Structure formats: structure tokens, C-alpha cells
Amino acid sequence: MDWSSSLQGLAGGVLIGLSATWLMATLGRIAGISGIIGTLITARPKGDSAWRLTFLLGLISGPIVVMLLGGGLGNVAGAAGEVIGEPAGGVLLMLVAGLLVGLGTGLGSGCTSGHGVCGLARLSPRSLVATLTFLVMAIITVFVVRHVIGGGA
């Protein structure tokens, strides 16, 4: 077991939980990334933009700080010399997948961070259904890609 990765994951989870709790306790807002970004882009809330921008800057600056402290990004490419690597299905597939994720967050009234982290913590039945739907669809997608289409690792 790689204890370094496990501890980084634990620290990241604690920070996500603390930030979600802090946002709810101080502003009464849910830390759902799609809602934070979506409202910032589409509604352009007056007087409500500062915390949204600060939250997003924190999401972006966190990995940068870890890299500057020598933590690296971790190797998610599967090859020793790469950090991230090429998209498994190509750039076009990744763009289509990103658009589908955006569509799904709109249809589901939120994303995994909003429903899975914050909604479940508030015992929201809607978030429970949404999170179970995310998980079931992810399982089906992995099965189809690996066993039906024959792609992936």
C-alpha cells in the first residue's frame, strides 16, 4: 500500500469536508461546483460573485501549492515518465464526454460534489437518488467500455 497517496487522499477529503461545512455554516450555501460555476457564468449574481470566485481560485490553487511544495500531481497515466498522459479515447471523445457531464449536471440539478458530499450530509432524499444514479451509471459505463466495446484498461 502506498501510504503517501492514502494520506494525500485523506487530507484532500478532510479539506473538502471542511470547505463544504465552512461554506454552509458561513454563507448557507452548498459547495456544488456546477452550481457555483453555473451561477457565476449564467446569472452573474451581484454581490454574490466574490465567494464564488474565491472558492474556484481555491480549487485551482490547491494543486498548484501541492506541486510547489514538492508533492507533485501523482502519476495517473500508468507510465513512469508521464503525469497525466493522453486521453484514452482521444481528445474528441473527451470533449463529448465533458459536454455530456455538463448536460447531466443540468438535468440532475447538480453534480457529484453537490449531491454526494453536501446533499447526503444533509440527508437529502433527492441527493441520495442522484448519487445512486451517478454510481449505477458509472458502473454500467465501465462495464460497457471494458467488456462490450473492449476499450480501457
Side-chain angles (χ1 to χ4, degrees):
M1 173 182 250
D2 180 10
W3 283 100
S4 175
S5 295
S6 298
L7 291 175
Q8 287 178 355
L10 176 63
V14 168
L15 289 173
I16 289 170
L18 287 173
S19 67
T21 302
W22 177 79
L23 192 61
M24 178 62 80
T26 58
L27 298 178
R29 300 293 188 158
I30 296 171
I33 306 308
S34 63
I36 292 171
I37 294 173
T39 303
L40 190 61
I41 293 170
T42 59
R44 302 197 190 262
K46 295 196 174 25
D48 198 24
S49 298
W51 75 265
R52 293 175 190 275
L53 286 171
T54 304
F55 195 90
L56 292 174
L57 287 174
L59 286 176
I60 295 166
S61 65
I64 294 170
V65 169
V66 170
M67 283 182 3
L68 292 174
L69 294 174
L73 286 176
N75 186 347
V76 296
E82 298 177 356
V83 176
I84 295 177
E86 293 284 325
V91 175
L92 181 61
L93 180 62
M94 294 298 285
L95 289 173
V96 171
L99 290 172
L100 289 174
V101 168
L103 178 64
T105 60
L107 291 173
S109 298
C111 59
T112 54
S113 60
H115 285 298
V117 175
C118 301
L120 291 180
R122 294 181 301 111
L123 303 176
S124 165
R126 185 178 90 169
S127 291
L128 177 62
V129 171
T131 303
L132 289 174
T133 302
F134 299 149
L135 290 173
V136 169
M137 293 310 297
I139 291 167
I140 291 169
T141 301
V142 169
F143 178 81
V144 169
V145 168
R146 288 192 177 177
H147 303 290
V148 177
I149 297 173

